[in-house]
């Protein structure tokens, strides 16, 4: 951003939006119907306490949207007809089965009043929005090509170079040409699945693991095989057994901080996994999405293996922004080329150049790094405090994670997490019951909590009632 | 493309694919396992009711894919394990085959000095960047939630409402809950394919058609059946024949301005298509991506049908920005819910809320409308001027489109467009040879030009030399 460039006046923008909203409100509550003439500019300016030019701007923009129409010499009129709006758009269906989509749908479509201790992201005001806003202001001055064009098939070279430097620090030698930007971390895994899997193939995942791995693999119609997860990572003996029995093509796991448990893989486990996987020609997808929350680096399969049989994927959704969608993968060069074709075929090109530019600028913002440090401290405090408050309700974490925002807690006295979650949802609190994470359905006695989403005391009140109501 | 150009026989291509699919099916259901010998050519030809040469061709192609192996003197055997899905040769280099990825890869990864008369988008400085920059400045003042959160599963409600109003003006009554925002128009079609198609299903496309439809369908491993395109839309008699013969699940086509020909579907064609499709229970995907370039509205299948068997898809990449990635689909409500789950599973949620906000604000900018009007005039002028300059080189448009930026031109004297394109690429000019658009490979004598990318006189100099160098 050039210093001294005139920034837009936010107040006028706000006033224009207020006038537009006032008109929309009149249409919504029936005071203005299709065909009705809008108030005159002068009269409405007086009524709203704004300048006539603000009303003109508002009417022009509503006309550009098609909400109202101008009839020359006669004023503005409400347009023909509004389409029907179904109730379903505001309300996710509460009665749907508690399956791997349950938490996603409830959390993503929750309205602002709902509390979401079961969701998988930070509250909006815990995110580095100041740094992102600076990046957005810079973006307004970017070249036409950044704003208008599809961008290259691999995605922003500058961002790929930055990632390559970060990988080098971890000991992973990957050129920028081995990195492919994607629309999201999930989309990166999806591309890999499309590339490597055929219906009926076996795929190993951790049990428990991130519920969307299961949802994604269902879309690929593969056989999902769970490997029990220990406090040191997947159980290596059972992992080896599963390899021999199911001959899987792929194993998908989290690096750094495991979702939902918050556990960290030990170096011995990492080494044994790689050795067993190599013997059976299994490709490993290592999802590094929680890396930014680690207090210090932990073993990485990709670093031990050097991107031979491991594919690293990640995104910026947890620490930077989930709204600016951008993920990545790093893999063998020949695989990257095939994945590029797949991404062109299925999404015409890579992620938005505008998104990549915003990510790059935010990562390079000094305020972002300070934010991350502060965030780690804030989360450490929230983890301790939340664990104490949950303990008072008889909920105990399976382990105390080194970082991140998850606590994987056992319920007291054999109570069923799905029942607790259903009761809580009636009180507008979204929980994450254990079995949505478990392919073997063996986690009925667990809930995953997000310590950053639990500052409202109502969470604990509802939780207490819901636990009491659930059968023991 | 009935008139003039002799049609190739698409049946042989189809039969080869059918034989390949039959083998794949036997491998999928276990009748053929790794190491097994394939049926002899003569026996399988009899069983499938095809000629031995078709089986030879099928086995050769499966062997080229690595699915099976030939042992000289002994026959064909199933390979050890299925290889990864390869959509095209892995090289992005200039020597790669001229296949449906050729134009995408060359155009997307072209450096700034290359000229791109073969590419499918406007130059960056023809785009509404001033309006987009205003939208970006407004975005810097958006709520934290817009900047930080994943957003709702269906995508921005405000943008969906705006689309619903636009649909209402076309006579399509679709509530905002029937609209799903996606990462791109292509991604919308990809979701629909994942939802409706299974490997081996038949899908109809226009011949010629947008090359990426072929690339996308290859990723879904379906049988692609081309329907010759006339100046009034697809040939309705051959469309009906293809329905009866191949029992396709889906037909994918462009509304408004057909890619690559620029033709417009006539009302009679639209009506006949819908009637035939309804009789065979075929879903139609209508891609409306060029709607913004129309001088006046043309028939829409979705408007005639009312989103019963038609799914409308579109994006903002051609007229607003290809960098701010956002597409949409409008479909039956129950299908939208299923597509939401698929999008969550494969991309965790919908398009970037930041992108939707930028699209919404730009669409609402009064300057955007003015830009579009000016753009249509500018393109009309460029079409006429480019047609004149191409005529001087012996290149003649198949028809003069009502709008948009494409001219589908025949080469003089039977010259081969692929040879012309290869020569031009050596001189750093990217052309779009006809056969990348043609599933039957019957468009070797055509090139698709983008009149907005031809202001540099070097395009015509290189073209002249390349045509002269190509054999007549």
């Amino acid at each position: 951003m050039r210093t001294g460039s005139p920034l837009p006046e936010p107040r006028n923008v706000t006033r224009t939006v207020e006038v537009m909203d006032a008109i929309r409100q009149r249409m919504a509550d029936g005071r203005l119907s299709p065909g009705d003439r809008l108030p005159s500019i002068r009269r409405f300016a007086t009524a709203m306490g704004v300048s006539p030019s603000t009303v003109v701007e508002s009417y022009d923009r509503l006309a550009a949207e098609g909400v109202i129409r101008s009839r020359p010499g006669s004023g503005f009129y409400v347009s023909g007809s509004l389409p029907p709006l179904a109730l379903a758009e505001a309300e996710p269906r509460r009665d749907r089965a508690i399956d791997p989509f349950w938490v996603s749908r409830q959390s993503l479509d929750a309205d602002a009043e709902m509390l979401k201790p079961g969701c998988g992201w930070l509250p909006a005001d815990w995110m580095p929005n100041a740094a992102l806003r600076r990046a957005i202001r810079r973006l307004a001055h970017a070249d036409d090509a950044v704003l208008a064009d599809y961008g290259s098939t691999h995605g922003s070279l500058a961002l790929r170079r930055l990632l390559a430097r970060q990988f080098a620090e971890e000991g992973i030698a990957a050129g920028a040409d081995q990195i492919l930007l994607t629309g999201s971390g999930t989309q990166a895994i999806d591309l890999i699945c499309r590339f490597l899997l055929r219906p009926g193939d076996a795929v190993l995942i951790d049990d428990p693991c991130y519920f969307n791995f299961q949802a994604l693999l269902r879309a690929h119609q593969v056989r999902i095989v769970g490997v029990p997860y220990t406090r040191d990572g997947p159980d290596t003996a059972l992992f080896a057994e599963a390899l021999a029995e199911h001959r899987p093509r792929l194993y998908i796991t989290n690096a750094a901080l495991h979702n939902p448990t918050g556990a960290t893989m030990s170096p011995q486990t990492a080494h044994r996994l790689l050795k067993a996987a190599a013997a059976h020609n299994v490709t490993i997808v290592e999802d590094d999405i929680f890396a930014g929350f680690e207090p210090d680096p932990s073993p990485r399969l990709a670093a031990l293996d050097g991107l031979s049989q491991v594919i690293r994927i990640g995104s910026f959704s947890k620490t930077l922004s989930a709204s600016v969608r951008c993920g990545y993968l790093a893999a063998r060069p020949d695989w990257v080329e095939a994945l590029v074709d797949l991404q062109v075929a299925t999404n015409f090109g890579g992620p938005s150049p505008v998104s990549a530019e915003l990510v790059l600028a935010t990562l390079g913002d000094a305020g972002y790094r300070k934010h991350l440090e502060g965030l780690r401290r804030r989360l450490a405090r929230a983890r301790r405090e939340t664990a104490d408050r949950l303990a008072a309700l008889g909920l105990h974490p399976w382990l105390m994670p080194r970082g991140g925002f998850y606590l994987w807690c056992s319920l007291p006295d054999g109570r069923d997490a799905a029942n607790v979650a259903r009761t809580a949802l009636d009180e507008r609190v979204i929980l994450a019951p254990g079995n949505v994470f478990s392919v073997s359905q063996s986690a009925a006695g667990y809930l995953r909590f997000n310590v950053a989403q639990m500052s409202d005391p109502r969470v604990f009140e509802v939780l207490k009632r819901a636990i009491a109501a659930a059968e023991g």
Side-chain angles (χ1 to χ4, degrees), chain A:
Chain A
M1 197 171 84
R2 294 188 300 259
T3 43
S5 69
L7 283 172
E9 175 50 58
R11 200 156 20 138
N12 288 340
V13 173
T14 312
R15 293 246 161 111
T16 304
V17 170
E18 279 170 6
V19 174
M20 292 169 75
D21 284 343
I23 293 298
R24 284 201 192 93
Q25 187 53 49
R26 280 165 169 72
M27 290 167 64
D29 61 29
R31 277 179 288 166
L32 280 173
S33 297
D36 284 357
R37 191 176 183 279
L38 265 69
S40 78
I41 282 158
R42 186 164 307 174
R43 190 153 65 83
F44 206 47
T46 309
M48 294 285 296
V50 300
S51 71
S53 67
T54 300
V55 176
V56 168
E57 162 81 356
S58 309
Y59 282 16
D60 274 343
R61 278 169 55 184
L62 288 170
E65 284 182 25
V67 174
I68 62 174
R69 280 176 202 293
S70 143
R71 288 189 202 152
S74 160
F76 288 87
Y77 292 80
V78 179
S79 297
S81 61
L82 287 175
L85 281 178
L87 281 176
E89 75 191 9
E91 223 70 355
R93 286 170 301 162
R94 300 198 184 175
D95 55 352
R96 72 181 281 152
I98 293 190
D99 63 15
F101 290 103
W102 195 85
V103 179
S104 327
R105 279 264 199 158
Q106 301 293 351
S107 307
L108 291 168
D109 289 335
D111 60 50
E113 280 82 54
M114 294 197 81
L115 300 174
K116 305 192 287 285
C119 89
W121 52 90
L122 294 174
D125 58 1
W126 287 49
M127 297 293 277
N129 301 316
L132 181 54
R133 286 179 206 278
R134 283 190 289 275
I136 292 171
R137 289 194 192 97
R138 279 179 66 178
L139 178 69
H141 302 282
D143 287 346
D144 281 354
V146 169
L147 300 185
D149 285 350
Y150 281 96
S152 70
T153 57
H154 291 66
S156 156
L157 180 59
L159 181 52
R160 287 184 289 126
R161 282 185 173 147
L162 184 145
L163 287 169
R165 284 195 297 274
Q166 290 185 357
F167 292 160
E169 285 173 27
E170 293 179 42
I172 304 170
D177 58 324
Q178 278 183 264
I179 300 171
L180 173 60
L181 302 187
T182 59
S184 64
T186 304
Q187 204 219 336
I189 307 180
D190 184 47
L191 280 175
I192 294 162
C193 288
R194 289 183 116 156
F195 176 53
L196 292 176
L197 301 180
R198 292 294 167 276
D201 280 355
V203 177
L204 300 191
I205 53 175
D206 301 319
D207 188 357
C209 76
Y210 173 42
F211 49 78
N212 208 53
F213 289 165
Q214 275 190 70
L216 175 61
L217 291 171
R218 283 191 196 179
H220 288 275
Q221 301 175 272
V222 294
R223 282 185 297 130
I224 305 172
V225 179
V227 177
Y229 206 80
T230 77
R231 286 171 179 77
D232 291 323
D235 184 304
T236 52
L238 295 174
F239 183 81
E241 272 181 33
L243 292 182
E245 185 183 343
H246 298 284
R247 304 265 158 202
R249 182 72 195 86
L250 205 63
Y251 167 53
I252 306 177
T253 191
N254 287 131
L257 298 160
H258 177 252
N259 180 3
T261 65
T264 299
M265 199 181 286
S266 73
Q268 293 82 358
T269 300
H271 176 65
R272 280 184 206 147
L273 277 186
L274 277 177
K275 231 174 99 177
H280 285 84
N281 194 27
V282 174
T283 301
I284 300 178
V285 172
E286 184 174 49
D287 179 357
D288 208 31
I289 193 164
F290 297 105
F293 294 113
E294 277 199 308
D296 43 69
S298 59
R300 288 291 190 280
L301 297 170
L304 292 173
D305 168 68
L307 295 182
S308 154
Q309 58 180 138
V310 175
I311 302 177
R312 157 73 64 90
I313 77 112
S315 91
F316 310 95
S317 299
K318 302 303 180 193
T319 46
L320 196 154
S321 161
S323 175
V324 179
R325 312 229 63 193
C326 185
Y328 61 85
L329 62 86
R332 285 166 41 179
D334 54 332
W335 286 8
V336 168
E337 295 312 306
L339 291 165
V340 161
D341 277 349
L342 257 177
Q343 186 163 240
V344 168
T346 57
N347 199 24
F348 205 69
S352 154
V354 154
S355 294
E357 197 73 13
L358 289 177
V359 167
L360 185 68
T362 308
L363 291 176
D365 187 295
Y368 175 68
R369 263 163 286 167
K370 273 182 212 138
H371 168 88
L372 260 192
E373 286 162 25
L375 183 60
R376 282 189 284 260
R377 284 194 299 273
R378 188 177 184 182
L379 283 171
R381 203 163 52 234
R383 265 196 310 280
R384 284 192 306 272
E385 289 172 4
T386 306
D388 288 347
R389 299 182 75 172
L390 289 171
L393 300 178
L395 291 154
H396 298 285
W398 188 64
L399 59 70
M400 201 54 169
R402 296 157 56 240
F405 44 76
Y406 291 135
L407 284 180
W408 177 244
C409 295
S410 56
L411 280 158
D413 308 326
R415 277 172 170 82
D416 184 73
N419 289 338
V420 175
R422 277 193 209 96
T423 309
L425 192 59
D426 288 337
E427 297 206 45
R428 304 180 64 70
V429 171
I430 297 164
L431 296 175
N435 272 347
V436 306
F437 304 91
S438 171
V439 64
S440 66
Q441 296 290 289
S442 58
Y446 287 84
L447 284 166
R448 186 193 71 182
F449 290 99
N450 178 336
V451 301
Q453 297 276 6
M454 297 173 74
S455 52
D456 189 320
R458 198 160 68 80
V459 168
F460 296 92
E461 293 158 19
V462 168
L463 198 51
K464 187 175 182 181
R465 280 197 293 273
I467 292 171
E471 301 219 352

